[in-house]
Amino acid sequence: MKNIYVIALAAILFQGCGQKKEMTAPATRPVKTTIVESRSVIRKDFSGIVEAVEYVKLAFRVSGQIISLPVIEGEKVKKGQLIAAIDPRDIALQYAATKSAYETASAQVERNKRLLSRQAISVQEYEISLSNYQKAKSEYELSSNNMRDTKLTAPFDGSIEKRLVENYQRVNSGEGIVQLVNTQNLRIKFTIPDAYLYLLRAKDPRFLVEFDVFKARLEEYLDISTEGTGIPVSITIDDPSFDRDLYAVKPGFTCSIRFTADVGPLVQDSWTIIPLSAVFGESDGNNMYVWVVEDNKVHKRKIVVNAPTGEAQVLVSEGLKPGEQIVIAGVYQLVEGESIKSIDK
């Protein structure tokens, strides 16, 4: 019986020694790492909306009653095509009167010019007739323009988006008749956060628009944030494979935009771009850190984040050098000096 107790005690001690040895053995944590690079191509996704480059509300320059309104909403029209016409009778009477007065004043000036050359009239009489002629000419030209303005024509090829009045309605000068949109000449507008402004200043920024996927070029942007809503950006599709009739893209359609920019030329050589997942902070939230790997151990290092870059990346201006190895996953589980096993990304 004594031998049984000795064997049991020995087994317990052996098991305890094994557990103690297991607890004191240093643990090596597997983590994902990456090598810091000084330059990188940055990509960012945005949502945009299609907008017409040429978009106008057409109106008459004169008042009157509409007698012809042959277009309907959605109809395609050609440049110069009649959109609407107003009753020209009152304007025609004024046109005839001013034309007659102009012709009379013109003949009088010619007659007075001959009389003045023979000194049959005074210079003052000639100047009065010349002044009357100039006044009559201005009134005649105005009435001529008014006659032309009784007909409203399309200034470019496009589509009638909306008809704002009805036939036989009386309209005032400047009152909208139709809204005309050029659906063949389109731009895409979207807004980017203020922090991404520097990306637009990159050399040859590239845009891919996804109705399908087409190349687009930067048209313009404002380097100010209007009402704090972000930076307004306009791009136009210049891809020859984009057939507007096939894809039937219209103003108001939404799309996805993949923005690509090489920021290398914009930043200093010492600046780096790293994944956002590599960055962590302390409870105060004032300082940012990364885990730098040296001899398979991690060491906390403070960094200065200059700006976000899109696609979960940040631009670091201080604290890292190109070629250094950093942890990019599980950063909140590590402690200073902990041994790790690198799993390169």
Side-chain angles (χ1 to χ4, degrees), residues 140-181:
Y140 170 62
E141 289 176 346
L142 177 61
S143 63
S144 297
N145 291 336
N146 289 342
M147 276 297 295
R148 285 194 295 269
D149 290 339
T150 59
K151 293 183 178 180
L152 192 63
T153 58
F156 51 78
D157 294 352
S159 296
I160 303 299
E161 183 184 54
K162 191 172 183 180
R163 210 169 75 162
L164 304 173
V165 297
E166 297 299 328
N167 202 6
Y168 306 115
Q169 180 178 333
R170 184 170 183 82
V171 294
N172 296 319
S173 171
E175 182 178 348
I177 307 300
V178 298
Q179 290 181 176
L180 179 65
V181 179

Side-chain angles (χ1 to χ4, degrees), residues 268 270-273 303-307 314-320:
Q268 301 177 19
S270 60
W271 290 19
T272 56
I273 295 174
I303 61 172
V304 176
V305 175
N306 184 272
V314 291
L315 185 64
V316 177
S317 57
E318 295 180 22
L320 286 175

Side-chain angles (χ1 to χ4, degrees), residues 12 160 168 186 205 277 291 297 323:
I12 293 171
I160 303 299
Y168 306 115
L186 304 174
S277 60
W291 291 113
K297 292 185 178 182

Side-chain angles (χ1 to χ4, degrees), residues 17 20 72 74 83 153 205 223 284 286 320 341:
C17 291
K20 184 176 180 181
I72 60 175
I83 301 296
T153 58
D223 57 359
D284 58 11
N286 294 327
L320 286 175
K341 180 181 178 181

Side-chain angles (χ1 to χ4, degrees), residues 31 33-35 290-302 319-321 323-327 334-342:
V31 296
T33 65
T34 191
I35 301 300
V290 295
W291 291 113
V292 178
V293 180
E294 296 177 359
D295 298 328
N296 294 325
K297 292 185 178 182
V298 293
H299 302 281
K300 186 170 70 172
R301 185 183 297 174
K302 182 180 176 181
L320 286 175
K321 296 179 181 179
E324 290 188 304
Q325 187 180 20
I326 60 172
V327 177
L334 299 173
V335 296
E336 177 66 30
E338 184 174 357
S339 297
I340 57 98
K341 180 181 178 181
S342 174

Side-chain angles (χ1 to χ4, degrees), residues 80-137:
Q81 181 176 333
L82 179 68
I83 301 296
I86 61 175
D87 190 343
R89 287 178 296 180
D90 292 342
I91 297 175
L93 290 174
Q94 185 182 16
Y95 170 75
T98 56
K99 181 180 180 182
S100 177
Y102 166 69
E103 291 173 347
T104 300
S106 177
Q108 185 65 47
V109 166
E110 291 300 321
R111 184 165 51 252
N112 285 353
K113 185 185 294 183
R114 292 192 298 270
L115 293 174
L116 180 63
S117 65
R118 295 196 299 267
Q119 297 183 350
I121 62 171
S122 67
V123 174
Q124 183 179 8
E125 289 177 301
Y126 171 74
E127 289 178 346
I128 292 174
S129 65
L130 182 61
S131 176
N132 292 335
Y133 162 76
Q134 291 172 341
K135 179 181 179 181
K137 181 181 179 183

Side-chain angles (χ1 to χ4, degrees), residues 23-318:
M23 291 175 62
T24 57
T28 301
R29 186 188 300 274
V31 296
K32 287 187 177 182
T33 65
T34 191
I35 301 300
V36 176
E37 297 180 355
S38 60
R39 294 185 179 184
S40 179
V41 173
I42 297 171
R43 295 178 177 86
K44 180 65 179 174
D45 291 331
F46 297 99
S47 294
I49 186 167
V50 179
E51 184 181 273
V53 174
E54 293 179 300
Y55 178 92
V56 65
K57 182 183 292 185
L58 297 180
F60 287 106
R61 295 181 180 178
V62 293
S63 301
Q65 183 183 23
I66 296 176
I67 59 172
S68 177
L69 188 59
V71 296
I72 60 175
E73 292 183 2
E75 180 180 348
K76 292 183 179 180
V77 296
K78 295 291 185 180
K79 181 179 180 179
Q81 181 176 333
L82 179 68
I83 301 296
I86 61 175
D87 190 343
R89 287 178 296 180
D90 292 342
I91 297 175
L93 290 174
Q94 185 182 16
Y95 170 75
T98 56
K99 181 180 180 182
S100 177
Y102 166 69
E103 291 173 347
T104 300
S106 177
Q108 185 65 47
V109 166
E110 291 300 321
R111 184 165 51 252
N112 285 353
K113 185 185 294 183
R114 292 192 298 270
L115 293 174
L116 180 63
S117 65
R118 295 196 299 267
Q119 297 183 350
I121 62 171
S122 67
V123 174
Q124 183 179 8
E125 289 177 301
Y126 171 74
E127 289 178 346
I128 292 174
S129 65
L130 182 61
S131 176
N132 292 335
Y133 162 76
Q134 291 172 341
K135 179 181 179 181
K137 181 181 179 183
S138 296
E139 292 176 348
Y140 170 62
E141 289 176 346
L142 177 61
S143 63
S144 297
N145 291 336
N146 289 342
M147 276 297 295
R148 285 194 295 269
D149 290 339
T150 59
K151 293 183 178 180
L152 192 63
T153 58
F156 51 78
D157 294 352
S159 296
I160 303 299
E161 183 184 54
K162 191 172 183 180
R163 210 169 75 162
L164 304 173
V165 297
E166 297 299 328
N167 202 6
Y168 306 115
Q169 180 178 333
R170 184 170 183 82
V171 294
N172 296 319
S173 171
E175 182 178 348
I177 307 300
V178 298
Q179 290 181 176
L180 179 65
V181 179
N182 184 350
T183 57
Q184 297 299 310
N185 192 4
L186 304 174
R187 66 162 61 96
I188 297 167
K189 284 201 167 184
F190 62 101
T191 302
I192 69 171
D194 304 353
Y196 297 137
L197 174 60
Y198 74 100
L199 297 179
L200 296 171
R201 295 170 178 162
K203 183 180 180 181
D204 190 27
R206 297 183 297 277
F207 302 87
L208 292 179
V209 178
E210 293 184 2
F211 301 107
D212 199 330
V213 178
F214 300 101
K215 296 178 181 178
R217 63 177 177 81
L218 179 64
E219 184 180 51
E220 64 178 3
Y221 67 90
L222 299 178
D223 57 359
I224 56 174
S225 178
T226 56
E227 299 180 354
T229 57
I231 305 299
V233 182
S234 296
I235 60 176
T236 54
I237 300 177
D238 57 357
D239 195 324
S241 64
F242 180 51
D243 187 333
R244 289 178 172 81
D245 293 330
L246 176 63
Y247 290 94
V249 174
K250 303 296 182 183
F253 281 25
T254 58
C255 60
S256 298
I257 301 164
R258 169 56 61 89
F259 175 33
T260 305
D262 182 2
V263 298
L266 298 177
V267 301
Q268 301 177 19
D269 291 338
S270 60
W271 290 19
T272 56
I273 295 174
I274 63 173
L276 180 61
S277 60
V279 181
F280 63 96
E282 294 182 335
S283 59
D284 58 11
N286 294 327
N287 297 319
M288 307 302 290
Y289 301 89
V290 295
W291 291 113
V292 178
V293 180
E294 296 177 359
D295 298 328
N296 294 325
K297 292 185 178 182
V298 293
H299 302 281
K300 186 170 70 172
R301 185 183 297 174
K302 182 180 176 181
I303 61 172
V304 176
V305 175
N306 184 272
T309 65
E311 283 204 338
Q313 293 179 310
V314 291
L315 185 64
V316 177
S317 57
E318 295 180 22

